[in-house]
Amino acid sequence: MSGGLAIGKTTGQLFAFYMELKRVVVTGMGAVSPIGNTAEETWQNMLAGVSGAAKITRFNAEGFKTQFACEVKGFDVSKYVDRKEARKMDPYCQYAFAAAQMAVEDSGIDNDSLDRNRVGVVMGVGIGGMKTFEDEVVSYARLAEGVTPKFNPFFVPKMIADICVGHISIKYGFHGPNYITSSACASSTNALADAFNLIRLGKANVVVSGGAESAMTVAGVGGFVAMHALSTRNDSPETASRPFSASRDGFVMAEGASCLILEELEHAKARGAKIYAEMVGAGMSADAHHITASHPEGLGAILVMQNALEDAGMQPQDIDYINVHGTSTPVGDISEVKAIKSLFGEHAYKLNISSTKSMTGHLLGAAGALEAMATVMSVKEDIVPPTINHEEGDEDPEIDYNLNFTFGKAQKREVRAALSNTFGFGGHNACVIFKKYAE
């Protein structure tokens, strides 16, 4: 058995550089998800193994091979913005706005003494305003009838993927770095990595960071159905997302948003902020293999985790938990397991591994942010959420079940540090690491 890949030590010159970097902590969180409309509700339902999958209600999906998804349920946008303003926001933007507001309130950063010139907003969005775009296609179609189409004057500002960070910064008057990252399903993990680097390089004191997505439309669902990417377990939606099981047949589409408040440590201490965990590393890589499929041997996944560990100055044995990408696809789950075994060696068998997508479904561009939130909470509370829907006898011969996939129920254990993976179409890989905060 391999002993795992060694992470090289930094040189003295690099060490001196790293000593000048600021430390970054998590001081607030917010979420709108298929299993909860707050971060706390989402986290408690993760621990309880609740599935968010059900029959699609946004449109009639009976003609599709997949007729279910993980929709956001019972969300009341009027708690966060008046309905007149909400009409200027696509659903993905409404979710982002609400998650950001919850995170800001949770952190307590919105006060008169805050230097708003040094507070940024960086979010990950994979697609953006698909519902808005789809609604306007009806007008465009009339061109074929010889009728000049008339568009909603808010069409463009509702549709564009970056508008969510604009709304958030306008609400709070945050004048710091303000933009989105877009790298398919790795989008919001890339956003967290950017926010982390902005703070530790001294470019900002605080960054509201996370991701949002809502492609729960005819075109959104239909497009993924056409790719044969989605599960077709229509008779049992709640058990459809079953990562690492032999009967897995595709991911379950989801929507929502999650935001973390990342803050420079001394800034957080000065204002007496509560600290959930410390963010210590971020890695990125490319598979350079295929536009949709991951590398079969997980080469890009190995590299991104290795890069994150090197960035954090950590060794594989320092990690106790991995919140995996784990989408419940035939190829992707196998390649990620291979990557973990290759990088972590014998220590892989001491890790807890779990896929929270088994409960939330796949939030596309927002997946990484929601899973980062779960990773932070695991570090804070020393508990690992489960991978649900695995059944005895449903083992894939290509998967090593001596690994601890945290099947069935949450497990208490010490979580000193944890890693969260996200991989996107195009071969985009991103990874972030959180550890317990200590002086």
Side-chain angles (χ1 to χ4, degrees):
M1 178 65 67
S2 167
L5 298 180
I7 303 300
K9 294 182 179 179
T10 58
T11 64
Q13 183 179 9
L14 279 174
F15 181 77
F17 170 74
Y18 276 106
M19 288 297 289
E20 296 176 5
L21 295 178
K22 308 291 187 181
R23 292 173 67 184
V24 182
V25 291
V26 180
T27 58
M29 295 191 290
V32 177
S33 83
I35 58 171
N37 288 328
T38 66
E40 179 62 19
E41 184 183 11
T42 297
W43 173 240
Q44 292 303 322
N45 281 329
M46 280 183 182
L47 295 181
V50 174
S51 170
K55 184 176 180 180
I56 291 171
T57 64
R58 304 293 171 78
F59 61 91
N60 184 353
E62 291 181 4
F64 287 140
K65 289 183 179 179
T66 297
Q67 300 167 9
F68 61 94
C70 287
E71 297 176 329
V72 166
K73 306 164 189 70
F75 173 70
D76 183 0
V77 70
S78 67
K79 291 182 179 180
Y80 308 99
V81 61
D82 69 66
R83 294 196 177 276
K84 181 179 178 181
E85 289 302 308
R87 285 195 293 270
K88 301 174 185 176
M89 299 180 181
D90 186 86
Y92 97 90
C93 185
Q94 293 181 6
Y95 300 154
F97 193 81
Q101 185 168 324
M102 284 184 270
V104 167
E105 291 174 356
D106 183 41
S107 74
I109 61 167
D110 183 30
N111 57 64
D112 293 336
S113 62
L114 190 69
D115 182 355
R116 287 174 169 78
N117 291 337
R118 294 186 56 79
V119 182
V121 186
V122 181
M123 298 284 284
V125 183
I127 298 174
M130 181 166 275
K131 175 67 166 61
T132 298
F133 185 83
E134 192 170 297
D135 288 346
E136 293 299 316
V137 166
V138 176
S139 295
Y140 181 80
R142 299 207 66 194
L143 192 62
E145 304 168 11
V147 178
T148 300
K150 293 183 179 180
F151 292 94
N152 187 311
F154 293 106
F155 169 43
V156 172
K158 281 181 69 175
M159 176 193 67
I160 54 179
D162 71 299
I163 203 66
C164 62
V165 293
H167 279 291
I168 295 164
S169 66
I170 290 167
K171 174 178 174 59
Y172 294 105
F174 294 157
H175 293 283
N178 186 269
Y179 60 95
I180 66 156
T181 59
S182 188
S183 50
C185 304
S187 295
S188 53
T189 304
N190 278 130
L192 290 168
D194 275 16
F196 173 59
N197 284 321
L198 285 168
I199 295 170
R200 66 176 178 170
L201 290 171
K203 305 297 184 182
N205 295 334
V206 180
V207 181
V208 181
S209 187
E213 201 81 273
S214 182
M216 207 65 65
T217 69
V218 174
V221 175
F224 283 110
V225 167
M227 293 177 60
H228 304 287
L230 302 182
S231 170
T232 58
R233 196 178 286 264
N234 294 308
D235 58 339
S236 182
E238 67 281 359
T239 67
S241 184
R242 45 183 55 218
F244 312 112
S245 294
S247 61
R248 66 192 185 279
D249 66 334
F251 72 82
V252 177
M253 194 164 165
E255 63 176 350
S258 180
C259 276
L260 277 62
I261 303 299
L262 300 185
E263 187 167 355
E264 193 271 321
L265 174 60
E266 296 305 319
H267 187 274
K269 288 167 63 176
R271 66 182 188 85
K274 68 177 179 295
I275 294 174
Y276 285 96
E278 183 173 1
M279 186 171 178
V280 292
M284 289 165 272
S285 76
D287 276 3
H289 169 69
H290 189 273
I291 59 170
T292 58
S294 57
H295 191 283
E297 299 302 317
L299 297 187
I302 294 169
L303 181 59
V304 76
M305 291 187 286
Q306 184 171 348
N307 288 343
L309 286 166
E310 288 180 348
D311 190 47
M314 300 174 77
Q315 299 293 321
Q317 59 267 27
D318 296 326
I319 302 297
D320 293 319
Y321 167 50
I322 301 177
N323 187 305
V324 293
H325 188 57
T327 55
S328 188
T329 56
V331 175
D333 289 7
I334 293 172
S335 64
E336 190 168 10
V337 168
K338 287 181 178 179
I340 291 169
K341 290 181 66 178
S342 177
L343 180 63
F344 287 86
E346 291 292 346
H347 184 66
Y349 298 92
K350 299 177 182 179
L351 295 166
N352 271 74
I353 297 165
S354 75
S355 172
T356 49
K357 288 186 181 74
S358 60
M359 298 167 283
T360 66
H362 191 354
L363 276 75
L364 308 178
L370 189 64
E371 290 153 21
M373 184 202 81
T375 306
V376 167
M377 291 304 296
S378 289
V379 169
K380 178 178 181 291
E381 298 191 352
D382 286 321
I383 189 168
V384 174
T387 303
I388 67 170
N389 295 328
H390 180 72
E391 300 168 353
E392 188 175 347
D394 193 15
E395 282 77 36
D396 185 329
E398 294 193 62
I399 291 177
D400 184 352
Y401 291 97
N402 291 312
L403 297 171
N404 184 358
F405 291 103
T406 323
F407 285 135
K409 63 180 181 180
Q411 292 180 16
K412 290 287 291 183
R413 67 160 294 167
E414 181 184 22
V415 184
R416 300 164 301 161
L419 178 155
S420 180
N421 283 333
T422 47
F423 313 138
F425 282 177
H428 314 301
N429 306 311
C431 173
V432 289
I433 299 176
F434 301 92
K435 74 174 185 179
K436 279 186 167 32
Y437 165 68
E439 287 289 348

